[in-house]
Amino acid sequence: MFLIAGVQLIQFNLWQSCQVIVAVSALASSVQAQPLSLPDAWRLALAGHPLIAQKQGSIGAAQDEIKSAEWKRFPTLTLDSSRALGGQPVGVANSDPNAATLRLQQPLWTGGRITADINAAEIRKKVAQLSLEETEQDVLLRVVQSYSDYLRLQERAVVAKDNVREHQRLYDLIARRLEQRVTAEVDVALALARLQQSKTELVTLLASAGNARSTLEQLIGQRVEVGQLQSPASRAWIFADAEAAVAMAQQYSPTLRRLQA
């Protein structure tokens, strides 16, 4: 009974085994692409991410607002022209039917409104610049997260592949022992369950790695091949304590500086 149930379970999970085989084959036979380090991924993300381009456009618009506010300090030159229809205006003798008026206007006192508009435009530009830094920081953190997740899941997938291979070997061994009437049928069922569990874990890891790779590709704007990423070199902790790190983070934080502005 246990052996029949085991055969049915194998048939039922045949599609899952095929997915594992295809994914493992792709992992093993993929062409080695140009290595991609974490700093390279940072540069690609900063150069082509649409959110960063949008924030850069906001800085340009803020700069135009400053120029527009500064032009209010200069006199305004206007030219008005008129043409009388049907000859000379009524009641006006010896007047020119075509008239032009050149006007130069300069406010004598605005109560500080022009200076306030310029200062407000400069503050809006500063806020736009800090918003750009905030977006860049967020993009860099997302690149680090997806980069490390993909590396970690790839390494775990390699271990999971070895685990599947070992459970397959054990299952085949126990199945042969059952044919020789050396072991019980319940051992075959247990070995089969562990084999299917290891395959399920491998499929889950490969799916998670695919999601991390897709996220990284969206951030950097180019395709990432299997085995293309380089593990970052380990660096020593540069802060004496956590309080110093927190103080530096608060001092640098573009979010806090934007709110203060």
Side-chain angles (χ1 to χ4, degrees):
M1 180 182 300
F2 285 107
L3 184 58
I4 295 175
V7 173
Q8 291 178 350
L9 184 59
I10 291 177
Q11 294 175 351
F12 181 76
N13 291 325
L14 181 60
W15 65 272
Q16 188 181 49
S17 301
C18 293
Q19 287 182 342
V20 174
I21 293 174
V22 171
V24 172
S25 299
L27 182 64
S29 61
S30 61
V31 179
Q32 185 70 20
Q34 186 70 21
L36 179 66
S37 63
L38 183 57
D40 293 336
W42 282 339
R43 285 189 289 268
L44 290 173
L46 293 178
H49 200 278
L51 288 179
I52 295 178
Q54 179 184 0
K55 297 299 181 181
Q56 291 174 345
S58 300
I59 295 177
Q63 181 63 38
D64 293 338
E65 290 183 3
I66 295 176
K67 293 180 180 179
S68 177
E70 290 176 346
W71 271 107
K72 295 180 182 179
R73 292 174 172 174
F74 298 95
T76 302
L77 181 66
T78 58
L79 176 63
D80 297 332
S81 62
S82 61
R83 179 181 179 85
L85 300 178
Q88 296 180 353
V90 178
V92 179
N94 299 325
S95 63
D96 189 359
N98 300 325
T101 303
L102 182 64
R103 183 180 295 109
L104 184 64
Q105 294 179 334
Q106 172 67 41
L108 298 178
W109 182 72
T110 60
R113 185 185 61 186
I114 296 178
T115 304
D117 290 343
I118 295 175
N119 293 336
E122 291 176 348
I123 290 297
R124 283 192 290 270
K125 179 182 177 181
K126 182 178 180 181
V127 170
Q129 292 174 341
L130 293 174
S131 181
L132 172 62
E133 293 183 13
E134 185 179 2
T135 303
E136 290 176 344
Q137 186 183 59
D138 180 67
V139 170
L140 292 177
L141 290 175
R142 290 167 59 189
V143 169
V144 172
Q145 185 65 44
S146 58
Y147 192 98
S148 59
D149 286 346
Y150 186 43
L151 278 177
R152 174 176 55 84
L153 292 170
Q154 274 188 312
E155 295 176 357
R156 291 184 59 186
V158 173
V159 176
K161 182 181 68 174
D162 296 336
N163 189 35
V164 170
R165 186 183 300 110
E166 183 64 20
H167 278 86
Q168 184 67 51
R169 185 187 66 82
L170 293 176
Y171 172 76
D172 295 339
L173 177 62
I174 295 175
R176 289 193 299 268
R177 290 172 63 88
L178 178 62
E179 293 176 357
Q180 299 173 0
R181 306 292 181 179
V182 177
T183 187
E185 295 179 352
V186 65
D187 295 335
V188 177
L190 291 175
L192 178 62
R194 292 172 181 172
L195 175 60
Q196 295 301 324
Q197 181 180 2
S198 63
K199 290 181 179 180
T200 302
E201 293 176 354
L202 177 57
V203 171
T204 303
L205 288 174
L206 292 175
S208 300
N211 293 334
R213 183 175 68 175
S214 299
T215 303
L216 181 59
E217 290 175 347
Q218 292 176 2
L219 290 171
I220 66 177
Q222 74 175 28
R223 182 174 177 80
V224 177
E225 301 294 340
V226 178
Q228 184 179 0
L229 303 186
Q230 291 180 335
S231 298
S234 60
R235 299 182 62 182
W237 181 247
I238 61 176
F239 300 104
D241 52 12
E243 294 182 358
V246 171
M248 292 185 65
Q250 292 178 346
Q251 183 179 3
Y252 170 76
S253 175
T255 304
L256 296 177
R257 288 184 289 155
R258 177 176 58 83
L259 294 175
Q260 291 173 356

